[in-house]
Amino acid sequence: MINFEERKRLISLIIVLCFAFLWPIINSTYLLFHPSSGAVGGSHLDFGFSVVLELLALILLGASLRSQQRSFKELGITFKVSDLGHAILLYFSFYILEILMFLFVPHMNAEVRNIGFLKSDMTPFYLIFILVNPFFEELIVRAYGITEFLHFFKKEEIAVLASTLIQTSYHLYQGAIPAILNGVLFFVFSIYFAKKRRIIPIILVHGFLDMYAMIQFHGT
């Protein structure tokens, strides 16, 4: 029988994941089957609301860890100079893999949908959202998720797959093919974390990709 501490840890995992990702998954799945034009950008308040929710999710994660006498260090949040090199290697690993996919599976090249929010004019909340989002996603779905899945299932493969599927599911709004391409990136991230237990390189790559998308699309 599962003891009290294990039950508490499992319930905390469910609460954190549901608070962070349940609505995004539901909304993303709806948009997959009912795509919008993607022409409407995110408003100042939309980005502000998103930032508040993401920060609340991170606070909830921190509170959950503290209630179990744990800390963010367990999730690989400490910084090392070598993290910069690992981030570069991670980025180019995905870049090469993406090129190979386009070469051998031409139909993988599909237009991304429902990204009107990326085309918004620059606002303080837009910039804050771009900065906070990599920490929100990677600390919760990758570092925390994989750590807990490994604890409960004892299998690295299940932990990697679960993290990848959760993150891919709330990117379905972009369309099935773009979501699959995102899933490849998330899979690479998950394997790296499961092997190295370092999250900073992943946050750096995620942040770079988000910043690049912001620069590429905003105001268009």
Side-chain angles (χ1 to χ4, degrees):
M1 177 180 289
I2 188 170
N3 62 39
F4 173 76
E5 290 301 323
E6 289 291 283
R7 189 182 301 112
K8 178 181 176 182
R9 186 167 178 170
L10 177 59
I11 292 173
S12 294
L13 172 64
I14 294 171
I15 290 174
V16 171
L17 290 181
C18 285
F19 182 87
F21 302 120
L22 181 58
W23 172 246
I25 289 172
I26 293 172
N27 186 55
S28 187
T29 304
Y30 176 83
L31 288 175
L32 174 66
F33 297 104
H34 303 85
S36 69
S37 64
V40 179
S43 70
H44 186 76
L45 290 178
D46 288 336
F47 286 119
F49 184 67
S50 296
V51 168
V52 170
L53 286 180
E54 292 190 354
L55 290 175
L56 285 175
L58 288 171
I59 290 171
L60 179 61
L61 171 60
S64 174
L65 291 173
R66 284 194 299 274
S67 72
Q68 301 168 50
Q69 287 76 53
R70 300 163 66 195
S71 73
F72 280 101
K73 286 186 178 181
E74 185 179 329
L75 306 182
I77 195 64
T78 55
F79 177 75
K80 295 181 179 179
V81 175
S82 59
D83 288 341
L84 298 174
H86 284 213
I88 293 172
L89 289 174
L90 266 177
Y91 173 77
F92 281 107
S93 296
F94 167 69
Y95 187 70
I96 292 170
L97 186 57
E98 187 178 46
I99 290 175
L100 292 174
M101 290 180 66
F102 282 137
L103 286 175
F104 292 102
V105 191
H107 296 295
M108 294 299 287
N109 189 11
E111 183 178 357
V112 181
R113 305 183 317 205
N114 301 311
I115 57 170
F117 67 96
L118 288 175
K119 301 178 182 181
S120 304
D121 292 329
M122 191 70 66
T123 66
F125 277 123
Y126 187 3
L127 181 58
I128 294 171
F129 171 77
I130 292 297
L131 294 175
V132 170
N133 187 64
F135 289 89
F136 161 72
E137 288 196 46
E138 300 305 338
L139 280 174
I140 297 179
V141 78
R142 186 94 51 231
Y144 178 61
I146 288 180
T147 298
E148 300 307 276
F149 293 142
L150 276 172
H151 175 79
F152 288 110
F153 295 108
K154 314 299 182 187
K155 288 185 178 294
E156 190 174 280
E157 297 84 355
I158 294 177
V160 166
L161 184 61
S163 175
T164 301
L165 289 177
I166 292 172
Q167 196 170 22
T168 302
S169 66
Y170 60 82
H171 286 83
L172 289 172
Y173 68 91
Q174 297 180 7
I177 300 303
I180 291 173
L181 291 175
N182 282 327
V184 172
L185 174 63
F186 303 151
F187 186 63
V188 172
F189 283 173
S190 294
I191 292 176
Y192 174 83
F193 182 81
K195 297 296 185 182
K196 298 294 186 179
R197 306 307 294 267
R198 305 288 303 165
I199 197 62
I200 293 296
I202 300 174
I203 292 174
L204 291 175
V205 177
H206 191 146
F208 170 77
L209 293 174
D210 282 358
M211 290 291 290
Y212 178 79
M214 178 187 69
I215 294 170
Q216 181 181 16
F217 290 111
H218 93 273
T220 60

